Structure formats: C-alpha cells, structure tokens
Amino acid sequence: MKTRTRSAAQTRALGIAVAALLRPGDLVVLAGDLGSGKTTFAQGIAAGLGVDDPVVSPTFTIVREYEGRLPLAHVDVYRLDRLQELYDVGFEELVDGERVTIIEWGDVVQRVLPADHLSVELEPGALPDERLVHVHAQGRAWRDRTERVESVVSSASSAEDG
Ligand code: ADP
Ligand code: MG
C-alpha cells in the first residue's frame, strides 16, 4: 500500500491514524533516509497513543520509553555499531508483548526483527515537502487488520486529493 503526504503535518496525521490500529506487542519498522520523516511519523504514533512527553529522536540513546494509552518504546539504530548493542539495550524484552515498539532504520537490522511487524518506508517525492509512504503489514499479528491498514492508508490518500 502506498500513499503520499505533502507536509510534515500530514505524515504526523498518518502516524496518528496508524496508532489507532496498534496493540500491545506491535512492532513498527521505519525505513527511509535521513530527513525522510521517520521521527515525524513516530511523533504521530506517539500522539495517537496519548503520549504527552515530547518525542525526540533517540539517536544517542538507542531507545526511549514513553507512557501513553499503551506504553511506547522508540528505538533508533542509526548509530548502532554492532548488532549486539541492540540486544544490550534489551530489544528482545521490549518487543515481547506489553508495549508498542517503533524502530527507526529498522530495515538495517531487518534480519533479527520479528516477522510480525508493520513496515513503513518513506521516500522523497517530487516536491520538497512531499513524501511517498509505503505501508506493509507483515505476519499473523496483522492478518486480521489488513483491511483497516488499507483503509487508513487510502483515507490519507483521499484527504490529499480532496
Ligand atoms: P528522519 O527521522 O527520517 O531523519 P525527521 O522526521 O526527523 O526525519 O525529519 C523530517 C524533516 O522533513 C522535518 O524537518 C520535517 O518538517 C520535514 N518534512 C517536510 N515535508 C515532510 C513530509 N511530507 N513528511 C515528513 N517530514 C517532512
Ligand atoms: Mg529520525
């Protein structure tokens, strides 16, 4: 599934809409170059989960945790030197059930991530503030939510058309 956003606010709004589908234990894998909007999208998810604290990029800490309607862990593996560091910060325990976990640059460590996840890839569009957003629900955990994901993504697209 693919949509297009034309501003940071629209990407954030898409994150808010996606948050409504999330359950404890969900993993959201964010891919895309620096400045593509991964943190902006993560901020939308956090807002949608009712997180009040400001969500900043966790680049230097690898993981930050927030309290919302569901607990949220925001992971950024950009500066990860070795895969072992991901285990050192307790990544496996993070994704074991109680919270929602978002991982920026998650595609880089894809091979050690759970098969069940929502993958969101952002890429530049034709205009400076435009982003193409590819959303794919993967694995059993998402099987019964595929239609809702489609609906969220397609309403983002129609909002843009309208
Ligand atoms: P990343 O985490 O991928 O490095 P950020 O979300 O931190 O990216 O930064 C994205 C930057 O691009 C922000 O300055 C944001 O305001 C800007 N921007 C412009 N248009 C968009 C858009 N359509 N979606 C997301 N961010 C956008
Ligand atoms: Mg970021």
Side-chain angles (χ1 to χ4, degrees), residues 38-39 57 59 76 104-105:
K38 299 181 296 300
T39 299
S57 183
T59 292
D76 188 326
E104 294 195 32
W105 299 98

Side-chain angles (χ1 to χ4, degrees), residues 89-136:
V89 300
F91 181 77
E92 287 170 302
E93 291 77 58
L94 284 180
V95 293
D96 77 356
E98 287 166 22
R99 57 183 68 67
V100 167
T101 303
I102 305 174
I103 181 165
E104 294 195 32
W105 299 98
D107 53 320
V108 173
V109 296
Q110 186 91 42
R111 66 197 166 89
V112 300
L113 298 181
D116 287 9
H117 61 264
L118 188 73
S119 132
V120 178
E121 183 175 356
L122 297 120
E123 59 168 331
L127 301 168
D129 286 353
E130 195 173 275
R131 302 289 188 273
L132 303 179
V133 188
H134 305 263
V135 181
H136 295 287

Side-chain angles (χ1 to χ4, degrees), residues 4-149:
R4 181 191 314 264
T5 63
R6 297 193 190 280
S7 65
Q10 277 187 3
T11 296
R12 193 171 183 277
L14 184 60
I16 291 175
V18 165
L21 308 179
L22 295 176
R23 299 174 184 157
D26 278 344
L27 173 65
V28 180
V29 177
L30 302 183
D33 286 340
L34 265 188
S36 61
K38 299 181 296 300
T39 299
T40 302
F41 185 85
Q43 287 166 342
I45 288 186
L49 290 179
V51 170
D52 292 327
D53 289 343
V55 171
V56 296
S57 183
T59 292
F60 294 101
T61 49
I62 301 179
V63 56
R64 286 179 193 264
E65 295 191 65
Y66 300 91
E67 286 305 321
R69 171 172 66 77
L70 300 173
L72 172 67
H74 184 200
V75 183
D76 188 326
V77 298
Y78 183 57
R79 290 184 194 272
L80 209 68
D81 291 322
R82 295 171 307 116
L83 205 50
Q84 181 58 39
E85 290 172 48
L86 194 58
Y87 297 104
D88 294 345
V89 300
F91 181 77
E92 287 170 302
E93 291 77 58
L94 284 180
V95 293
D96 77 356
E98 287 166 22
R99 57 183 68 67
V100 167
T101 303
I102 305 174
I103 181 165
E104 294 195 32
W105 299 98
D107 53 320
V108 173
V109 296
Q110 186 91 42
R111 66 197 166 89
V112 300
L113 298 181
D116 287 9
H117 61 264
L118 188 73
S119 132
V120 178
E121 183 175 356
L122 297 120
E123 59 168 331
L127 301 168
D129 286 353
E130 195 173 275
R131 302 289 188 273
L132 303 179
V133 188
H134 305 263
V135 181
H136 295 287
Q138 308 193 350
R140 319 169 59 134
W142 286 91
R143 204 165 285 165
D144 61 332
R145 285 179 280 178
T146 316
E147 283 177 20
R148 291 173 69 202
V149 172

